[in-house]
């Protein structure tokens, strides 16, 4: 928006290649950041080719972002709301119509090519057993929201610290991925569970197959390993969801003697709360998690946790 929505078309090409190398090689990064850049770049480039006014360039860039989110995560509603809540920061019938059409179209194409499976597979439909558990959900919203916020603060602080250290090494910037990548490789030998996006581990955590100690180790490990500022191209969405799932599953294990709801409920709710705490986008957090997991019955507790997480983060 600050530059009139104009993004060079080469950004899409470079971002696709760089992100494919980072994520495909097992980097702890998400797909949402790159696909937002790619979609926005394509939308902006098309609008510029057609010599549209600035308002339309911004709108088409937002439509591209919505389409990217919708196709990548099979989440058309979350894609549309993301564009409105995070990029356009305005809700009108016209803008919703444009981003909604873009998100639905891209989602249809993605489902035709990839099938209709959920991004995060949940073995059974999770049920929120008792309204008395809403108190636990409120506490989880605060805990997971602070975990998400803490992760984002750690990430940026680590990047700044590594930038400062690297500036004093007098080594060329292109050598940075090699040197830090070697250090990360050694760390992965010590704790190989940190390799890749972590979606299979999230599914195991939702199923309640991990102990509290292991869940906390996975949560802290993901935060530390993702903070290696080696210059890779990727988003923080996937690591944040991982941290939220582990925090929620650990919380569910702790309160299980006092709760009627399964551990998976708290794990899924924790994902949304952590994302809301880090991104401060509550509506997107609610919608993208329930669409990714297919657990639409958890919208009520998810909304409560996300609102509390966002409020705590802003405070």
């Amino acid at each position: 928006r600050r530059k009139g929505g104009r993004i060079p078309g080469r950004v899409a090409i470079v971002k696709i290649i760089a992100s494919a190398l980072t994520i495909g090689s097992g980097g702890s990064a998400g797909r949402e950041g790159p696909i937002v850049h790619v979609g926005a770049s394509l939308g902006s480039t098309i609008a510029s080719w057609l010599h549209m006014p600035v308002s339309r360039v911004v709108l088409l860039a937002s439509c591209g972002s919505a389409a990217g989110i919708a196709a990548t995560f099979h989440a058309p509603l979350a894609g549309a709301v993301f564009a409105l809540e995070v990029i356009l920061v305005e809700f009108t019938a016209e803008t919703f119509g444009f981003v909604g059409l873009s998100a639905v179209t891209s989602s249809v194409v993605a489902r035709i090519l990839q099938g209709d499976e959920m991004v995060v597979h949940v073995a059974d439909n999770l049920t929120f057993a008792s309204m008395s558990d809403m108190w636990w959900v409120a506490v989880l919203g605060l805990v997971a929201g602070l975990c998400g916020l803490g992760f984002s603060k750690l990430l940026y602080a680590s990047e700044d610290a590594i930038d400062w250290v690297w500036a004093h090494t007098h080594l060329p910037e292109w050598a940075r991925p090699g040197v830090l990548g070697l250090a990360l490789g050694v760390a992965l030998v010590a704790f190989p569970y940190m390799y890749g996006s972590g979606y299979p581990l999230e599914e195991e955590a939702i199923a309640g197959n991990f102990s509290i100690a292991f869940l906390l180790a996975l949560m802290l490990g993901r935060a530390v390993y993702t903070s290696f500022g080696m210059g890779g191209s990727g988003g923080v969405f996937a690591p944040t969801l991982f941290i939220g799932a582990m925090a929620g599953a650990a919380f569910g294990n702790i309160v299980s003697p006092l709760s009627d709801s399964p551990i998976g409920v708290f794990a899924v709710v924790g994902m949304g709360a952590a994302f809301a705490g880090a991104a401060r986008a509550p509506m997107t957090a609610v919608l993208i998690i329930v669409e990714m997991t297919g657990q639409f019955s958890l919208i009520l507790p998810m909304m409560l946790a996300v609102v509390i997480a966002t409020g705590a983060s802003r405070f």
Side-chain angles (χ1 to χ4, degrees):
R1 290 173 64 89
R2 288 194 298 269
K3 297 181 179 180
R6 301 194 182 278
I7 306 172
R10 63 179 179 274
V11 170
I13 299 174
V14 173
K15 184 62 70 172
I16 289 173
I17 296 173
S19 302
L21 290 173
T22 300
I23 300 172
S25 62
S28 177
R31 295 171 289 173
E32 88 297 335
I35 198 60
V36 166
H37 285 142
V38 170
S41 175
L42 293 174
S44 175
T45 301
I46 293 172
S48 298
W49 284 347
L50 298 176
H51 303 290
M52 291 183 171
V54 171
S55 61
R56 292 305 186 193
V57 175
V58 173
L59 181 57
L60 259 70
S62 302
C63 288
S65 299
I69 291 291
T72 302
F73 298 107
H74 293 317
L77 187 55
V81 171
F82 171 84
L84 295 170
E85 184 178 32
V86 178
I87 300 178
L88 288 173
V89 199
E90 62 177 346
F91 291 78
T92 65
E94 181 186 30
T95 55
F96 182 77
F98 277 105
V99 298
L101 179 61
S102 179
V104 168
T105 304
S106 69
S107 186
V108 169
V109 172
R111 290 170 190 268
I112 291 174
L113 297 176
Q114 297 180 327
D116 203 22
E117 293 187 2
M118 298 293 105
V119 176
V120 178
H121 299 278
V122 179
D124 301 309
N125 288 326
L126 299 174
T127 56
F128 191 63
S130 173
M131 286 296 108
S132 62
D133 287 341
M134 291 294 277
W135 294 106
W136 295 123
V137 169
V139 176
L140 174 60
L142 177 61
V143 172
L146 292 177
C147 287
L149 176 63
F151 166 62
S152 67
K153 296 293 186 182
L154 173 65
L155 178 65
Y156 295 123
S158 174
E159 287 182 350
D160 291 340
I162 292 175
D163 287 342
W164 183 85
V165 171
W166 192 260
H168 288 77
T169 63
H170 305 294
L171 292 173
E173 193 66 24
W174 56 261
R176 179 169 168 173
V179 174
L180 293 178
L182 180 62
L184 180 59
V186 173
L188 285 172
V189 172
F191 197 33
Y193 295 100
M194 293 297 100
Y195 180 84
S197 65
Y199 283 129
L201 291 174
E202 288 177 28
E203 294 167 3
E204 291 291 328
I206 292 172
N209 295 333
F210 294 148
S211 67
I212 296 175
F214 188 57
L215 288 167
L216 295 177
L218 290 173
M219 180 184 71
L220 295 174
R222 180 65 66 179
V224 172
Y225 277 62
T226 308
S227 298
F228 276 81
M230 55 187 291
S233 177
V236 298
F237 177 68
T240 304
L241 293 194
F242 185 96
I243 289 170
M246 300 307 139
F251 184 87
N253 272 285
I254 293 172
V255 303
S256 58
L258 305 173
S259 170
D260 296 323
S261 299
I263 293 171
V265 168
F266 296 100
V268 172
V269 171
M271 294 166 68
F275 176 66
R280 300 179 186 177
M283 289 183 289
T284 302
V286 171
L287 294 173
I288 200 167
I289 301 303
V290 297
E291 286 189 291
M292 283 178 60
T293 60
Q295 303 301 310
F296 292 92
S297 63
L298 298 184
I299 285 183
L300 184 61
M302 184 74 73
M303 288 179 65
L304 175 62
V306 161
V307 167
I308 292 175
T310 304
S313 179
R314 289 186 179 276
F315 179 78

